[in-house]
């Protein structure tokens, strides 16, 4: 029996979940779901200063909204609990004690300033900056002197000399690092907290994680983490480092290009299916076309199709997937989705008819808000294009149209036919001015269903405005 595949997502709750993180979460989730494995959520909150309870709450909420459920993690529990690193201190202490007993770590008393000066000196000499090994061979008396001077040490891992570290990255293929290029690195900070390299690698192993898909920025951390796990005689996962997600200009994701956090996108009305389908195809090539649900995304996910080139997040593609996701909503789900921008207390039948009438023209609820104003309230004043159309048609046209609307209130085809015979206009010369007067815009959804939903007399009132 092959052991179950176990993946994880290990965010730090120091800010809002953005699309880059979500893609990492999604790929790990898809891999686990495809192979009947387990997906773990681990919270890397060792940075107590920057980690916030409200970020954590939002993170869990965002993942649930996206449908990325976890088999082990916060609020769910599991055999490797706790899943917040802030609660795993005793496990870190125990592992550090083992490294200590094996002579693999030592206290470093260098101050941040001393380390900075050393880095600069190495850079000036044209060498890659790494820890110079200052405290590697301190004897007991020297350590005691530092302690007596009130210095609080970090603990560093003693990187063995002359080793070649090789591993197969699931995305980047064969990797070779030389231990001589890696300085002794910190495993416990001066404040006693576990450092990232250490807690991250240890927890992956303790939690039985078998595959780690994570950002490319962690590729060079991997040899350090492999050394640590080797020293602890613990199994290491396989790693795949995902190409970065960049904006349309190739720059790192930022707010400049519009919302990139899940919370903001959700607030604007983007749907989970739109985000998931977009992210599925960013840095992961797939022959599968069209909007896929989560099980289909899982069946179609393949680590062999993960790309090495930076993946561009294109707002146009996002809008395209959103449009598909809107079309795929059930009538009830579409009505619920648009409810916040519709008048309160709207009759459910009217609401359903309205949603059916405008849905094809709606990407975000804000678009439906416009059509809601047109039908149930007051449309915005005509824009420039509409004004030109209104002017060209002229007051006589609208006088005839207003007169016809007294007979044919809310009946678009009868109204259009009557105006046609009264004015002799047809085609766009007939329809466009009517549309502009009724909606303030020269384009939009089919008018017949919209007119049927308008209050009595409203059609006449709008057409009359342009009759003088
Ligand atoms: N907390 C780390 C991060 O958010 C996890 C990195 C990893 O996935 O190993 O970057
Ligand atoms: Zn030192």
């Amino acid at each position: 029996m092959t052991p179950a595949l176990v993946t994880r997502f290990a965010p730090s709750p120091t800010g809002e979940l953005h699309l880059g993180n979500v893609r990492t979460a999604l790929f790990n989730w898809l891999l686990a779901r495809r192979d009947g494995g387990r997906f773990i959520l681990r919270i890397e909150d060792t940075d107590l200063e920057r980690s916030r309870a409200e970020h954590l709450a939002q993170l869990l909420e965002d993942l649930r909204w996206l449908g990325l459920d976890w088999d082990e993690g916060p609020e769910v529990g599991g055999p490797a609990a706790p899943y917040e690193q802030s609660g795993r201190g005793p496990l870190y202490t125990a592992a550090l004690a083992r490294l200590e007993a094996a002579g693999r770590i030592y206290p470093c008393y260098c101050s941040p300033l001393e380390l900075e000066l050393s880095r600069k000196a190495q850079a000036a000499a044209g060498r890659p900056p790494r820890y110079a090994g200052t405290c590697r061979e301190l004897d007991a008396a020297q350590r005691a002197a530092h302690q007596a001077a009130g210095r609080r040490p970090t603990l560093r891992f003693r990187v063995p000399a002359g080793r070649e570290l090789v591993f197969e990255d699931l995305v980047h293929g064969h990797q070779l690092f030389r231990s001589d290029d890696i300085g002794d690195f910190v495993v416990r900070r001066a404040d006693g907290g576990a450092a990232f390299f250490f807690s991250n690698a240890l927890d992956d192993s303790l939690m039985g994680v078998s595959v780690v898909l994570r950002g490319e920025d962690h590729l060079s951390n991997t040899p350090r983490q492999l050394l640590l796990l080797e020293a602890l005689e613990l199994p290491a996962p396989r790693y795949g480092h995902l190409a970065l997600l960049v904006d349309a200009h190739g720059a790192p994701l930022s707010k400049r290009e519009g919302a990139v956090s899940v919370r903001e996108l959700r607030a604007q009305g983007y749907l989970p299916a739109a985000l998931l389908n977009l992210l599925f195809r960013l840095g992961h090539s797939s022959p599968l076309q069209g909007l896929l649900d989560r099980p289909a995304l899982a069946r179609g996910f393949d680590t062999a199709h993960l790309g090495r080139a930076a993946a561009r997040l294109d707002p146009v593609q996002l809008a395209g997937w959103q449009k598909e996701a809107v079309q795929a909503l059930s009538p009830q789900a579409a009505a619920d989705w648009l409810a916040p921008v519709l008048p309160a207390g709207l009759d459910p039948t009217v609401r359903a008819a309205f949603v059916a009438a405008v849905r094809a023209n709606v990407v975000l609820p804000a678009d439906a808000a416009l059509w809601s104003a047109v039908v149930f309230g007051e449309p915005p004043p005509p824009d420039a294009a509409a004004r030109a159309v209104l002017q060209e048609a002229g007051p006589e046209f609208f006088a005839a149209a207003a007169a016809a609307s007294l007979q044919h209130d809310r009946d678009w085809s009868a109204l259009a036919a009557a105006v046609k015979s009264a004015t002799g206009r047809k085609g766009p010369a007939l329809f466009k001015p009517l549309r502009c007067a009724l909606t303030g815009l020269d384009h939009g959804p089919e008018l017949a269903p919209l007119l049927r939903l308008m209050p009595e007399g409203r059609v006449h009132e709008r057409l009359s405005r342009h009759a003088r």
Side-chain angles (χ1 to χ4, degrees), residues 64-134:
R64 287 207 169 101
W65 176 72
L66 288 163
L68 304 182
D69 56 336
W70 51 99
D71 305 303
E72 298 175 32
E75 295 179 357
V76 170
Y83 292 89
E84 291 89 359
Q85 289 191 322
S86 54
R88 298 176 64 79
L91 292 161
Y92 304 149
T93 306
L96 287 171
R98 284 172 53 205
L99 290 174
E100 161 95 79
R104 303 302 301 267
I105 54 176
Y106 61 89
C108 164
Y109 295 92
C110 298
S111 69
L113 180 64
E114 287 164 344
L115 293 171
E116 179 62 26
L117 291 175
S118 160
R119 263 196 298 273
K120 282 198 173 136
Q122 296 184 63
R127 278 177 290 145
R130 58 186 185 98
Y131 179 64
T134 318

Side-chain angles (χ1 to χ4, degrees), residues 8 10-12 44 196 200 212 214 218:
R8 51 70 165 178
S12 303
E44 305 218 313
F196 165 76
N200 177 271
V212 168
R214 61 180 178 181
H218 290 292

Side-chain angles (χ1 to χ4, degrees), residues 46-49 152-155 186-195:
T46 52
D47 186 343
L48 297 173
E49 301 260 292
R152 311 240 334 257
T154 61
L155 292 178
V186 174
V187 291
R188 196 186 74 186
R189 301 188 307 254
D191 67 4

Side-chain angles (χ1 to χ4, degrees), residues 72-318:
E72 298 175 32
E75 295 179 357
V76 170
Y83 292 89
E84 291 89 359
Q85 289 191 322
S86 54
R88 298 176 64 79
L91 292 161
Y92 304 149
T93 306
L96 287 171
R98 284 172 53 205
L99 290 174
E100 161 95 79
R104 303 302 301 267
I105 54 176
Y106 61 89
C108 164
Y109 295 92
C110 298
S111 69
L113 180 64
E114 287 164 344
L115 293 171
E116 179 62 26
L117 291 175
S118 160
R119 263 196 298 273
K120 282 198 173 136
Q122 296 184 63
R127 278 177 290 145
R130 58 186 185 98
Y131 179 64
T134 318
C135 303
R136 218 173 201 238
E137 310 302 342
L138 294 184
D139 60 26
Q142 290 167 311
R143 284 180 190 167
H146 279 305
Q147 294 285 150
R151 290 197 170 201
R152 311 240 334 257
T154 61
L155 292 178
R156 283 186 189 271
F157 182 76
R158 202 182 285 277
V159 173
R163 287 277 307 277
E164 285 194 343
L165 302 156
V166 294
F167 61 95
E168 291 300 318
D169 188 271
L170 288 165
V171 180
H172 295 266
H174 190 70
Q175 300 292 308
L176 186 153
F177 291 83
R178 285 170 214 291
S179 70
D180 291 345
D181 295 334
I182 303 171
D184 293 349
F185 54 89
V186 174
V187 291
R188 196 186 74 186
R189 301 188 307 254
D191 67 4
F196 165 76
F197 292 134
F198 173 72
S199 51
N200 177 271
L202 178 63
D203 282 345
D204 280 341
S205 199
L206 295 181
M207 293 178 176
V209 172
S210 57
V211 177
V212 168
L213 300 178
R214 61 180 178 181
E216 204 170 76
D217 46 328
H218 290 292
L219 181 59
S220 63
N221 298 335
T222 303
R224 294 178 178 82
Q225 300 195 297
L226 292 173
L227 279 172
L228 268 173
L229 291 175
E230 180 192 88
L232 288 162
E233 297 177 321
L234 288 172
R238 285 189 297 152
Y239 293 91
H241 289 88
L242 306 170
L244 292 186
L245 203 54
V246 296
D247 70 16
H249 308 289
L253 281 195
S254 74
K255 307 246 332 165
R256 206 158 30 93
E257 293 287 306
V260 289
S261 83
V262 174
R263 193 188 55 78
E264 284 173 299
L265 292 165
R266 181 182 177 185
Q268 288 175 21
Y270 283 96
L271 294 164
L275 302 187
L276 297 180
N277 273 272
L278 176 73
L279 295 172
F280 177 73
R281 292 154 173 107
L282 289 181
H284 173 250
S285 58
S286 172
L288 300 174
Q289 307 281 319
L291 194 79
L292 303 173
D293 63 11
R294 285 188 301 270
L297 290 174
R299 284 193 300 276
F301 184 72
D302 190 342
T303 53
H305 293 168
L306 292 170
R308 297 182 192 182
R312 275 171 202 259
L313 183 74
D314 180 350
V316 177
Q317 283 176 5
L318 174 58

